[in-house]
Amino acid sequence: MPSDAASSRSPRPRWAGWADGLPPASGAVVMATAILSVGLHLLGVEWASLALLVIAVLVWAFLATVFVTHLLTERDRWLRETDTAPALTAVAATAVLGTRLSLLGHQPVSVALLCLSVLLWPVLMSHVIRHWQSKVPGAAYLVCVATQAIVVLAATVATADRQAWLMWPALVLFAIGVALYAVVLLRFDFRQLATGRGDQWIIAGAMAITALAGSKLVAAAVPDGVLRWATPAHDALRVITLVALGVAFAWYALLVVCELRWPRLHYDVRRWATVFPLGMTAVAALSTATATDVPALWTCGKVLLWAALAVWVVVAVAAVRTTHDATEPPISAGVSRPR
């Protein structure tokens, strides 16, 4: 006979089961939303930027709770998930969110998120790289994205707080990020351009965030800049930044062609890994336009940002519908749903 405690125990809510089943790739939701918030801030559309920031903060807090819960209660599962590249969205999402908060003036919070990103980076990176296969999907480029996201946040905080010393470790990480991109490119399964479910776009996003990181380094290295931390290297950094952005544009165009040639219209959580590169390419263009004094890139960035925002809306609606279907109670046979 069941005990009173067992009989009085309420059934677990369906939403709790849904939340427990969220994959590590869900961190791309924060990455995509936060970078669009940054872009809208650069364009001066502050009300929309703040709205997206609120969404990004709430989703980040929710996913962080799930992350810690798995670490404390399901260690084996946590270890399995950290062996996969999407686990690095935890680093990238934290750093991109920190960047937006730094632009808003919340430097103590941004510094805390920078420290958290730096602590998570070696732990998750070692797990992911140890489990690489001979051929890797687009998500593997997150090793570059996570690294450069830290560079962007570090450079943003350094500029805001006038801490020139922080730019030097950021430069080292920038070089590591570029090297990691090259390593992944040699292992990338190019069939993903036709068969990928969304994360193939990170091949462009990784180059775009490299350009954004470079633009941050360039902006602080100009002779009359705030930091003047690497003035002799300014021209070299400028060239590297423009090349990285050019490569990102080339991948962007190729991926659009692939999407038209092989349409993939069903929702997949990896589609957030499509929205992020779209937004990141736009923000990289806007930031590079200012840092390198190429006004045409600003116009290009504005156009790309509105396109990215439109895709964000489409993917968000599909995600909400999918979530609703997953948490809706099943209908018993022979019983109609109340109207």
Side-chain angles (χ1 to χ4, degrees):
M1 185 173 181
S3 64
D4 292 340
S7 61
S8 61
R9 187 181 300 150
S10 59
R12 194 182 188 204
R14 288 178 62 84
W15 67 265
W18 165 81
D20 189 56
L22 285 174
S26 301
V29 178
V30 180
M31 295 163 58
T33 307
I35 198 59
L36 285 176
S37 177
V38 171
L40 290 169
H41 168 73
L42 293 178
L43 292 185
V45 190
E46 205 63 24
W47 67 269
S49 174
L50 292 176
L52 288 180
L53 176 60
V54 170
I55 295 173
V57 169
L58 292 176
V59 176
W60 183 89
F62 175 72
L63 293 178
T65 302
V66 173
F67 182 88
V68 173
T69 300
H70 289 172
L71 173 62
L72 297 178
T73 63
E74 299 181 71
R75 188 62 182 273
D76 290 341
R77 172 182 175 174
W78 185 87
L79 289 173
R80 287 195 306 272
E81 290 181 342
T82 54
D83 289 342
T84 63
L88 287 167
T89 59
V91 177
T94 300
V96 176
L97 182 60
T99 298
R100 178 63 186 98
L101 291 172
S102 179
L103 294 174
L104 198 60
H106 298 299
Q107 301 310 323
V109 179
S110 299
V111 170
L113 292 177
L114 175 60
C115 293
L116 179 58
S117 300
V118 171
L119 290 173
L120 286 174
W121 183 79
V123 175
L124 297 178
M125 191 73 75
S126 62
H127 277 268
V128 171
I129 292 178
R130 279 203 317 254
H131 293 85
W132 265 356
Q133 305 296 322
S134 56
K135 290 293 183 180
V136 295
Y141 286 99
L142 282 166
V143 297
C144 174
V145 171
T147 305
Q148 301 294 21
I150 294 176
V151 176
V152 172
L153 176 54
T156 303
V157 169
T159 302
D161 288 347
R162 303 198 175 200
Q163 299 292 327
W165 68 269
L166 195 54
M167 302 298 285
W168 294 106
L171 180 61
V172 173
L173 276 179
F174 178 77
I176 292 174
V178 173
L180 286 171
Y181 187 91
V183 171
V184 178
L185 187 62
L186 294 174
R187 292 172 172 263
F188 180 57
D189 182 1
F190 283 91
R191 291 175 298 179
Q192 290 290 306
L193 297 178
T195 63
R197 307 308 299 175
D199 61 326
Q200 73 275 12
W201 275 84
I202 306 179
I203 193 173
M207 259 299 101
I209 196 172
T210 298
L212 176 59
S215 72
K216 293 289 187 179
L217 298 176
V218 169
V222 293
D224 57 347
V226 175
L227 299 179
R228 304 186 199 176
W229 67 283
T231 299
H234 174 266
D235 291 340
L237 285 171
R238 184 178 186 276
V239 171
I240 292 171
T241 298
L242 289 171
V243 170
L245 184 59
V247 174
F249 282 158
W251 279 121
Y252 190 115
L254 178 59
L255 287 160
V256 169
V257 172
C258 290
E259 291 284 356
L260 296 175
R261 173 62 181 83
W262 297 286
R264 284 146 280 184
L265 303 179
H266 296 292
Y267 174 76
D268 188 294
V269 69
R270 287 169 289 186
R271 269 305 179 192
W272 288 105
T274 298
V275 181
F276 172 72
L278 294 175
M280 180 54 71
T281 304
V283 172
L286 294 171
S287 181
T288 302
T290 302
T292 63
D293 193 24
V294 182
L297 290 176
W298 184 267
T299 302
C300 183
K302 285 174 63 177
V303 173
L304 294 179
L305 185 68
W306 293 118
L309 186 61
V311 176
W312 183 93
V313 171
V314 171
V315 174
V317 170
V320 170
R321 287 180 176 175
T322 302
T323 301
H324 177 267
D325 292 342
T327 57
E328 189 177 45
I331 303 173
S332 303
V335 179
S336 61
R337 181 182 297 167
R339 297 183 179 179

